[in-house]
Amino acid sequence: MGTQIALFIDTQTDKLILAAMLILIIVCICQAVRMGRTNRQLKYLTERLTGYLKAVLEDGEEEEESPQAAEFISRQEQNMRDALELQKQQKKLRDAQVFDAVLSEMYP
């Protein structure tokens, strides 16, 4: 049995090498397709993350630039301004949580 296998390998070496090379070429093509798909997904995620960061940074700049009046006309206006400030802080907290979730999803 062992001699028959050795004889088969000896006589069919060129065909076996050709078959192995074809299998390797097919595997390389599959890997190239997967890499292309992964590259497209990474580009998409990078564009989305860049847009998100740009929006967050622009929002932060707008808040810094908005002037706040030093005097309050009434207690009701002061309460409204406090409520708006609280909403802004809650929005910042939600944005930070979303950002953390995106980063943890991208980089586990």
Side-chain angles (χ1 to χ4, degrees), residues 15 17 28-29 34 40 55 61 71 75 82 86 92:
K15 293 177 184 172
I17 291 174
C28 288
I29 290 172
R34 286 183 185 168
R40 284 191 303 272
E61 289 173 358
E71 299 178 24
R75 185 170 187 85
D82 290 342
L86 181 63
K92 278 185 181 180

Side-chain angles (χ1 to χ4, degrees), residues 25-71:
I25 289 172
I26 291 170
V27 168
C28 288
I29 290 172
C30 290
Q31 285 299 103
V33 168
R34 286 183 185 168
M35 284 175 51
R37 188 178 309 134
T38 303
N39 190 24
R40 284 191 303 272
Q41 289 174 347
L42 284 175
K43 283 182 183 178
Y44 173 76
L45 288 174
T46 303
E47 289 171 0
R48 297 287 299 231
L49 185 61
T50 303
Y52 175 75
L53 289 174
K54 197 178 290 185
V56 167
L57 291 176
E58 287 175 0
D59 187 37
E61 289 173 358
E62 289 174 3
E63 289 176 3
E64 290 174 3
E65 293 173 0
S66 64
Q68 293 207 359
E71 299 178 24

Side-chain angles (χ1 to χ4, degrees), residues 39 90 103:
N39 190 24
Q90 289 174 346
L103 286 180

